[in-house]
Amino acid sequence: MALSRFAPGFKRLAAAAAFCLWLAVPAAADIKIGLYLPMTGPAAAMGQMVWEGVQVAHQLQPQVLGQPVKLVLVDTRSDRIEAANAVSRLIEKDKVAAIIGEVISSDTLAGVPIAERAGVPNLSPTATSPLVTQNRRYAFRAAYVDDLQGKVAARFAWENLKARRVAVFIDQAQDYCVGLANFFKE
């Protein structure tokens, strides 16, 4: 797979991560960046893709601010409780300066308040719920939010497809699907 297709996203992610590190990192020997990702479970494919992308970025830029970067990965198993536990572990045990993750909004929302209380920047590459960053100082995202995606899809259906009546099928078990559908209907 060509990385050039993902280059703009990687550049935004790298810039946001560098900014977060600039805010959070005192002079030290190693800069630890924690990742809480679903390496197993239903969302494992997404977590593995993010992990591989972070590894490529780390190979290309193994240092930040002249200091070596160490990556610390914790598997959330695609579970909210595991996500919260992973963030606590990364902050308390591993003493990370910044965190990347989670890929699913609901799992991100389980970890973000913990990072927020600790003052540790948390950057999600794919969480789309507007609640992830709402009223938060240390939560960031690299993806478009659900409300924008829903509006753009509705506008496309109206203007390009000339659809005047639509049926919306919603997977109620998926927060992402419910959020998009609600914003599309609005």
Side-chain angles (χ1 to χ4, degrees), residues 106-180:
S106 57
D107 293 353
T108 304
L109 286 165
V112 163
I114 299 164
E116 188 76 18
R117 281 192 299 274
V120 176
N122 189 132
L123 172 67
S124 173
T126 56
T128 58
S129 170
L131 299 175
V132 169
T133 56
Q134 187 175 43
N135 300 318
R136 302 199 195 273
R137 189 170 174 199
Y138 295 97
F140 304 91
R141 82 173 84 253
Y144 294 112
V145 290
D146 292 340
D147 57 344
L148 177 65
Q149 292 181 58
K151 289 174 189 173
V152 169
R155 185 178 309 124
F156 179 82
W158 181 264
E159 294 174 3
N160 295 78
L161 302 177
K162 306 297 182 204
R164 298 302 180 251
R165 291 177 8 153
V166 297
V168 179
F169 294 91
I170 306 168
D171 180 351
Q172 295 289 338
Q174 302 295 325
D175 293 339
Y176 177 67
C177 297
V178 172
L180 281 182

